[in-house]
Structure formats: C-alpha cells, structure tokens
Amino acid sequence: MGTAIRIDEDRLWNSLMELARIGATPAGGVNRQALTELDGQARALFSAWCREAGCVLRTDPIGNLIARRPGRNDSQPAIMMGSHLDSQPTGGKFDGAYGVMAGLEVLRALHAAGIETERPIEVVAWTNEEGARFAPSMMGSQVYAGLMGLDEALAVRDTEGVSVAEALARIGAQGMADSGSRPAAYFEAHIEQGPLLEAERKTIGVVSGGQGQCWFQMTLTGRASHAGTTPMDMRSDALVGAAAIIGALDRIGRAHPPGCATAGRILVSPNSPNVIPDSVYLTAEIRHPDDAVRAAMELEFRAAADEAVKLNHLDLNLAKVLEQPAAPFDPACIAAIRQAAERNGYPSMEIISGAAHDAVALSRIVPTGMVFVPCAGGVSHNELESAESGDLAAGCQVLAEAVLAYARVSDPVTPSR
Amino acid sequence: MGTAIRIDEDRLWNSLMELARIGATPAGGVNRQALTELDGQARALFSAWCREAGCVLRTDPIGNLIARRPGRNDSQPAIMMGSHLDSQPTGGKFDGAYGVMAGLEVLRALHAAGIETERPIEVVAWTNEEGARFAPSMMGSQVYAGLMGLDEALAVRDTEGVSVAEALARIGAQGMADSGSRPAAYFEAHIEQGPLLEAERKTIGVVSGGQGQCWFQMTLTGRASHAGTTPMDMRSDALVGAAAIIGALDRIGRAHPPGCATAGRILVSPNSPNVIPDSVYLTAEIRHPDDAVRAAMELEFRAAADEAVKLNHLDLNLAKVLEQPAAPFDPACIAAIRQAAERNGYPSMEIISGAAHDAVALSRIVPTGMVFVPCAGGVSHNELESAESGDLAAGCQVLAEAVLAYARVSDPVTPSR
C-alpha cells in the first residue's frame, strides 16, 4: 500500500453501540424500521458524525443518504461504501448498521490521519433495505441502480396506509435528483447472516457474488376422505404428494452444492388427524450462484412435483413468484478484498452471499465487492444477533484498504487482478 | 326361513326423511348433536313410532333408549338391533339414523305381519355415538359394554361446561339401571362411510369386524435458519424430517393391505417461505384388522421416524395417544348376514369396518354382526351424505332376516356357521 491506514476498533464498536440505542429493544435488539422517526434519528446521528469527519451530506429522491469526502480530483467518479440503517422489527445491532458504521470509520481514519485520496469517497445509508415496513426489500439501492422505478417506490404504502413519499417527507429525508456520475466501484461490509465463517473459523468472507434465486407457490388438490375407511389405493392424499416434493427439494439442494432448495411454508386442509388432506399450499425456493445450475435444479423440482402429483392423483397449481439472476461480483474488487485480508493475516475464504444485499443491486451497474464477517451461530434478523468486536474491526480494515486501493492515495495504485 | 318377512322400502325412507327434519340444515344435512333439545325430539319421535309398533320403551343410566318387542319366551335374552340418533355438527341424514330406522322398520314389519318370535327383540338408540359435543365417541355403547365407567361418562362436559348428566336430565333421557340380561346377539345396519361398496358395485357389505387402530402425536425439533445462507449439510430442517415420515407412513399403509396409515394434521413453525422450519407437530394413525400386523406396521413407522430424525439432526417427541385392538365380529352373525344377502340375490362382499361403530363396542361382550350399504362417493360426516333408497331397503331386509334367524319364529332356526 502507498499509505497505511489503521482503523480504530474501539471507535467502530462504540459508534455501533451508540447507534444501537436508537430503537433498542428490551431483549437487546433493535427495532428501527425504514423511514420511521427512529430511522430519522439514526440518519441525523450518522450525518453529524460524517460532517465531523469532513464530509458533505446529501439525499437523493428515494432518501438514500450519502456522505461525500472530496477527492483531490473531485470530478472523478467516487469510490462508494455503504449499507443500511433500517432494521427488522425484531432485528439486531449489526445487520446493515455495521456496513454504514464501517464506512464511517474509514472516513474517520482517513480524516484523523489527514490522508488525501485522488478520488472522492462516499458512504451511503440506503433507504429501506429490509422491506419490513415497505415492500420490496433493497428499495433504495434498487431505485439507485435503476432496477425499480422511483415513482413506483414512492407510491408503496405500509400497513397503515402511509406511502414511502409521505414517510420520507415526515422525517425530511427526501432529497433532489442526484446529478453526480456513477461511482467507480462499490464496497459493502456486512455480517455473514449464515454459519459458514464461524464453522470454518475464518474472520473474513471474500464474497464472490450474490446467488440467483427463484421462489414458487403451489397448491396440491386431492380428495378429503375418512382415514379409516378409504383404502390406500383409492386415496388422493395432498399431504403425501407435498411430502414427496419437500423431500425432492432437499435432495435437489444437496445434489447441487453450494445451492439450496427449501420448502418453508405449508398449510394443510382440513388438517384433522383422521381425515385424508385434500389441499396443501406449499412454498419452495431454489438458490444457486450459477444461473444455469439453478435452471437445472428448477427442472428437477418441476419433474419431481409432476411425479408426486401423478402418483397421488392430485391436481397441481404451480406459480413462480420471484426470479432473480445470480450477481457475480467484480473480479478486481474481489481481489482487492482478498489481498487486504492476506496483507493483514486474517483467515479468509471465498463465500457466496446467500441473502440479498444492497451490494447485489449495485453490482448490476458498477464493479462491486463485499466483505463478510462472522456472526454468532449465523443468527440474524433476530434480537440475539451478535458479532465480535475484533472481527468487525478486521472487516473494516479490509474494507478500508480495498477502498483506498481504488480511491488512490498519493501514488496511484492499480488494483491487482 | 320359517317365516317370510318383507320390509317396506317406502316406509323406511319416509321415516328417515321425517327424522331428518329434526335438526335439518339449509345445506340438506343434519345438526342434531347428542343430548341437545333436538336429540330429545328425535328420541321422542322414535319412541312414539316404537310404541305404535307394540314396543315398550326404557332408558338406561347413560340414556341409551331401548325399544323392546316381547318374545313368546320373554325371559330369554333378546336379539338387539341399533345405532344412534345423534349427528355431527355438519352431519348427514343417514349416519346412525339409518341403523335406528332400519331396526324400527323390522319391528314394524313384524308388527304388521303379526309375526311372533321366540325371543324378545330390542332396538337401541345409543347415546352420543359421534362424540362431537361430548368426548369420547361411542359413549353410550361403551358404557353399556363396560368399556367406560358410567360416572366417568356422566361427568364429561361440553365446551359450555354442561355435563352429560345435566344434559341427560334436561331432556329427560336418564333412566334407571338396566336389570335385563345381555342380549344373545347384536346387529347394526349402517352406511359404509367409505368408497368400497360403490366402487365394487355391491349392495351389501358383510362386515367381518372393526379394525384395530393406534394414533400418534409427534413433535420434531430442528433449528430455524436462513434458507439462503445455511448450506444444505448444516441444516436441521424439521419439515424435511416430517416429510420423510409422511412418505414412510404412506408406504407402510400400502405394504400391508387392507391396513391404512395416515398423517392428517401438521403444524409448522415459523412457517415462513425463506426460513428453515425448526418445529413440526404431526399426527399419525395406523389401522389394520389384524393386531399383529398393526404392531408390525407400528414398528416400521417408529423405525422410519427414527431414521428421519437421525438423517436431519432433529429431536423427536413421539407419543401414542390411542390404541384400540381389532374387533372381529361373530362368525355365526356374519354368516347369517351373508346368507340373507345371498337369499335375496343382493350383490355382497366381505368388508372391514374402517371407522368405529357402536357395534365394535358391543362385539366385546356379545356376538355381533353388521350390515353396510353404500353411500355416494363414500362421503359421510358431511351434509352432502347420500344413499339410495333401494340400497337402504336391501340392507334393512338383510338385517330383518338375520335378526329373525336368531330371534326364531315358529320353527326355531339354528343359525348356520
């Protein structure tokens, strides 16, 4: 590295803990849903901290809050970091907040060391990543990346009838159209929200991309009849058909690592111990980082469903309700993260992002990289979500070095490939 | 036969239809739950009809209502027919009511023809066969057969806190201890409540006995986690385990005809499309006419459950909540029914009673036989329950001849074996 940067573990941890007071729940978690008053308080605190670190703040029309640290050559595209400040209703202290606070810590470390970069550096708090109050999730980053229309997003209403536009206005978070150019690269730090890093005893997950996914809803229809008087060979048992599909999904997932296939929700009618079920509603989802493999998994799933339906004399109504292609991240961004981990001697591994993130939306339009750090037991979207200060600091240090490699200090650094 | 008896199809049908007005539902069914005011009305109508046919009425302490037609030798044990007048909340016109009205029609045909029998003949309306208002089902016949204590039965309360004793008193249905001896035999006519007779185009089902059954409740416990970030080989998916058990039950049932194995009720937590289920509640029931085979089926089921639990890293809490042995009916009673069907040229087949009936309770203490007639689509416990007048009459004719073979007209008839 041309210039050494050291992030401050305690400052990062203390900022995370101070932020977590806004919307803190008795069980130790956070309830700070998008565009609520509490979200507004978190935005204000983040803004104040960024100004102290020499940044200028702006918001765009969907309320994405962007702190900008000018570059020596300020007309160049910025290097952007970010994540989100909103939480699930029973969320934790780290999901999203970590990525924003890690970006802030990079700004603070640069500011404290008086380091000047060629390119401007930006840290974004994306609006409504969780989708808990307003669907869909990743709303701010999707609008930013042109994957969702601004007007469509502004018109979404919560269960109390409040629109995104109204909620933005209430907390003063709606800004003007962003005239700036696209950033040159985007980096996001996040807790893994999965068990792999902990199981493999790695500190840093070098994220190779977001896996593709497709979601299905199906209804199997058979014939209800008495479980004691209907011979086995005269049955149309919708639950037996569903069970075959659930088992097939599990086998399909296992046969295509690192893919996943899951049935998570089932509703049975009449759901009585001695009545053969005549109707089952079932959800299925299939994920894989390689879209071609995922397509093959989908074909296997459909064949298994057809077979189960035929064997059990059922009718099947199957609908695909979501399809998102895989989002491989930029090889140079990935390399910059891997090299930063190696430089610091952090145990690291390549990992797929199983969950969706703002980085997945950003990867559609700019070179993107992502840093994962472990969270205890892989637990997230839960008030018990927990992470180690040392791991969070390591992820932040990697983030800082990857960003600096792109933002360029005195001696321009060409990212290695 | 020493004396010909011909039952009257129209009289039987008209009585069934008149009875069905008591508790009639708009959808064409019957809601006449045990020991309600409507049940009292049905008992009064049945009693009046029996008195017109020369019978004496009595009730026993659990409210079983018994019409007695004296025999020439009235001290001999009676030949008993019966079924029940109570219905499911959304029941049909024939379940139970048919057996009582068929018994009444036999009494009427004897009365009209002036036929005297050696032995007395009794027709019983058993209290609370359905168990819909007061659990368990077959309460009256179980108390009669000594399978359930009288005091225990009288203390059972409905959901509004009314006890069986109170409900009996309200409709004046509680009688005195029955000092009479056990009947010499018991015969019951009933709609099949299953699809076999209709499928095989048979008019008469010669019931060989009630199958044994055991019921299970189980809870499978795994670990909830994100469906997108938890690798397949790190999962404890309770729904995948349950699906394996459901599939195994179906295979076990098919491998042991005419047995049945069914999973009817399932509750999943958290039941969200993208969360791996951590808890599943599942019911299972296994039935077979041969208790030894049923025991083997249970062992196979338990082995399959253990295997599913092991493969998916789950905990299993499995409880057997019901066990009823098989109840083979009396060979001579069965033969009397078969011969009556043959004499009349009715297509018949031997059949197992898949559901429980008052006759199953009676079979524990006296020689018992049962006549099934088809019901449309095998549908019962349903307002759409339907049966053909001609089939009902055929079943009643068979019942009459089997009863007469036992009750003996002028020339004593020895039942064939």
Side-chain angles (χ1 to χ4, degrees):
Chain A
M1 293 290 295
T3 297
I5 177 172
R6 288 315 302 180
I7 67 94
D8 183 328
E9 176 177 339
D10 290 342
R11 187 168 54 193
L12 171 62
W13 180 260
N14 291 338
S15 297
L16 271 166
M17 293 305 109
E18 190 169 341
L19 176 63
R21 287 196 207 127
I22 304 174
T25 62
V30 171
N31 178 2
R32 193 170 60 225
Q33 295 179 60
L35 306 182
T36 56
E37 178 122 354
L38 291 169
D39 188 14
Q41 290 176 29
R43 288 162 174 261
L45 179 61
F46 169 65
S47 299
W49 280 339
C50 290
R51 282 192 200 97
E52 288 169 14
C55 294
V56 178
L57 276 293
R58 68 181 192 280
T59 53
D60 74 5
I62 193 62
N64 295 317
L65 174 59
I66 306 165
R68 181 180 177 94
R69 183 175 195 265
R72 191 181 301 158
N73 188 344
D74 207 44
S75 63
Q76 282 199 18
I79 306 303
M80 184 182 264
M81 294 173 279
S83 195
H84 57 97
L85 293 171
D86 68 313
S87 83
Q88 290 282 328
T90 53
K93 300 185 187 79
F94 304 99
D95 175 5
Y98 169 56
V100 180
M101 292 299 102
L104 168 67
E105 175 55 30
V106 174
L107 295 176
R108 284 169 162 172
L110 290 169
H111 189 66
I115 297 171
E116 198 172 21
T117 56
E118 282 294 310
R119 286 172 162 159
I121 296 177
E122 293 182 341
V123 178
V124 191
W126 301 108
T127 294
N128 183 32
E129 193 272 350
E130 295 290 0
R133 179 182 176 192
F134 299 104
S137 58
M138 301 184 291
M139 183 180 276
S141 52
Q142 286 203 79
V143 169
Y144 183 90
L147 304 174
M148 184 180 191
L150 173 63
D151 292 342
E152 182 192 350
L154 291 174
V156 171
R157 292 183 185 274
D158 67 11
T159 55
E160 292 177 358
V162 179
S163 71
V164 168
E166 289 159 3
L168 281 167
R170 283 187 195 174
I171 64 167
Q174 191 167 25
M176 290 185 295
D178 199 341
S179 59
S181 58
R182 285 183 179 177
Y186 175 77
F187 291 93
E188 181 167 351
H190 208 285
I191 57 170
E192 181 197 343
Q193 302 185 288
L196 276 176
L197 293 177
E198 188 181 67
E200 303 283 338
R201 301 182 178 274
K202 304 292 187 189
T203 306
I204 299 295
V206 181
V207 184
S208 57
Q211 62 188 344
Q213 57 181 307
C214 44
W215 289 32
F216 302 88
Q217 291 175 353
M218 71 203 93
T219 304
L220 298 117
T221 307
R223 202 174 56 247
S225 50
H226 193 299
T229 64
T230 311
M232 298 305 292
D233 59 2
M234 294 180 72
R235 299 184 171 205
S236 301
D237 188 329
L239 182 55
V240 170
I245 295 173
I246 294 165
L249 273 168
D250 190 63
R251 285 190 298 277
I252 291 165
R254 289 174 193 277
H256 299 282
C260 294
T262 310
R265 182 167 170 79
I266 183 169
L267 300 170
V268 176
S269 169
N271 216 27
S272 170
N274 62 342
V275 181
I276 296 165
D278 66 345
S279 175
V280 172
Y281 166 90
L282 184 70
T283 64
E285 58 152 70
I286 295 174
R287 307 193 190 211
H288 200 282
D290 182 330
D291 288 334
V293 177
R294 179 167 54 80
M297 294 169 77
E298 178 180 340
L299 284 181
E300 291 177 30
F301 155 66
R302 287 181 179 274
D306 287 344
E307 178 76 4
V309 158
K310 192 176 156 196
L311 274 176
N312 293 284
H313 315 292
L314 306 171
D315 287 326
L316 173 67
N317 189 325
L318 173 65
K320 190 190 289 192
V321 293
L322 175 77
E323 171 134 33
Q324 285 179 349
F329 289 164
D330 180 71
C333 292
I334 294 171
I337 291 167
R338 184 191 307 113
Q339 287 159 12
E342 285 168 0
R343 252 192 318 269
N344 287 277
Y346 301 138
S348 71
M349 65 185 282
E350 194 159 291
I351 188 170
I352 283 286
S353 171
H357 290 291
D358 293 311
V360 172
L362 268 289
S363 76
R364 312 286 183 193
I365 57 164
V366 300
T368 292
M370 208 173 175
V371 183
F372 274 175
V373 295
C375 55
V379 173
S380 184
H381 287 196
N382 190 309
E383 290 169 272
L384 301 179
E385 186 182 86
S386 169
E388 294 293 323
S389 175
D391 293 340
L392 296 168
C396 183
Q397 181 67 31
V398 167
L399 177 71
E401 295 184 23
V403 165
L404 273 205
Y406 271 79
R408 294 194 302 229
V409 191
S410 44
D411 286 317
V413 174
T414 304
S416 322
R417 295 187 181 245
Chain B
M1 294 291 294
T3 299
I5 178 172
R6 289 314 301 179
I7 68 95
D8 184 328
E9 175 177 341
D10 290 342
R11 188 168 54 195
L12 171 61
W13 180 260
N14 291 338
S15 297
L16 271 166
M17 293 305 109
E18 190 169 340
L19 176 62
R21 287 195 207 127
I22 303 173
T25 62
V30 171
N31 179 2
R32 193 171 59 227
Q33 293 179 61
L35 305 183
T36 57
E37 177 121 356
L38 291 168
D39 187 14
Q41 291 177 28
R43 288 162 173 261
L45 179 62
F46 169 65
S47 299
W49 280 339
C50 290
R51 284 192 198 97
E52 288 169 15
C55 294
V56 177
L57 276 292
R58 70 180 191 279
T59 53
D60 73 5
I62 193 61
N64 296 318
L65 174 59
I66 305 165
R68 181 180 176 94
R69 184 175 193 263
R72 190 181 301 159
N73 188 344
D74 207 43
S75 64
Q76 283 200 16
I79 306 303
M80 185 182 263
M81 295 174 277
S83 197
H84 57 97
L85 292 172
D86 67 313
S87 82
Q88 290 282 329
T90 53
K93 302 185 186 77
F94 304 98
D95 175 5
Y98 169 56
V100 180
M101 292 299 101
L104 169 67
E105 175 54 31
V106 174
L107 295 177
R108 283 170 163 170
L110 290 169
H111 190 66
I115 297 172
E116 198 173 21
T117 56
E118 283 294 312
R119 287 173 163 159
I121 296 179
E122 294 183 339
V123 177
V124 190
W126 301 108
T127 293
N128 184 31
E129 192 272 349
E130 295 292 0
R133 180 183 177 193
F134 299 105
S137 57
M138 301 185 291
M139 183 180 275
S141 52
Q142 286 203 80
V143 170
Y144 182 90
L147 304 174
M148 183 179 191
L150 173 62
D151 292 342
E152 183 191 350
L154 291 174
V156 170
R157 292 182 186 274
D158 67 11
T159 54
E160 292 176 359
V162 180
S163 72
V164 168
E166 289 160 3
L168 281 166
R170 282 186 197 175
I171 64 167
Q174 192 168 24
M176 289 183 299
D178 200 341
S179 59
S181 58
R182 283 183 181 178
Y186 175 77
F187 292 93
E188 180 167 350
H190 209 284
I191 56 170
E192 181 197 344
Q193 303 184 285
L196 276 175
L197 293 177
E198 187 181 69
E200 303 284 336
R201 300 182 178 277
K202 304 292 188 189
T203 307
I204 299 296
V206 181
V207 183
S208 58
Q211 62 188 345
Q213 57 181 305
C214 43
W215 289 31
F216 303 89
Q217 291 175 353
M218 70 202 95
T219 304
L220 299 119
T221 306
R223 202 173 55 246
S225 51
H226 193 299
T229 64
T230 311
M232 299 303 292
D233 60 1
M234 293 179 73
R235 298 183 172 205
S236 301
D237 188 328
L239 182 54
V240 170
I245 294 172
I246 294 165
L249 274 167
D250 190 63
R251 285 190 298 278
I252 292 165
R254 290 174 192 277
H256 300 282
C260 294
T262 309
R265 182 166 169 80
I266 183 170
L267 299 171
V268 176
S269 170
N271 217 26
S272 170
N274 62 343
V275 181
I276 295 164
D278 65 346
S279 175
V280 172
Y281 167 91
L282 184 70
T283 64
E285 58 151 71
I286 295 173
R287 307 194 190 210
H288 200 283
D290 182 330
D291 287 335
V293 177
R294 179 168 55 79
M297 293 169 77
E298 177 180 339
L299 285 180
E300 291 177 30
F301 155 67
R302 287 181 179 273
D306 288 343
E307 177 77 4
V309 158
K310 193 176 156 197
L311 273 175
N312 293 284
H313 315 291
L314 306 171
D315 288 327
L316 172 67
N317 189 325
L318 173 64
K320 190 190 289 191
V321 293
L322 176 78
E323 171 133 35
Q324 284 181 348
F329 288 166
D330 181 71
C333 293
I334 295 170
I337 290 166
R338 184 191 307 113
Q339 287 158 12
E342 285 167 1
R343 253 192 317 271
N344 287 278
Y346 301 137
S348 71
M349 65 185 282
E350 194 159 293
I351 188 169
I352 283 286
S353 171
H357 291 290
D358 293 312
V360 172
L362 268 290
S363 75
R364 311 284 183 193
I365 57 165
V366 299
T368 293
M370 207 173 175
V371 184
F372 274 176
V373 296
C375 56
V379 173
S380 184
H381 285 195
N382 190 308
E383 291 169 273
L384 301 178
E385 185 182 271
S386 169
E388 294 292 324
S389 174
D391 294 340
L392 296 167
C396 184
Q397 181 67 32
V398 167
L399 177 72
E401 295 185 21
V403 165
L404 273 206
Y406 271 78
R408 297 192 303 227
V409 192
S410 45
D411 287 317
V413 175
T414 304
S416 321
R417 297 188 181 238

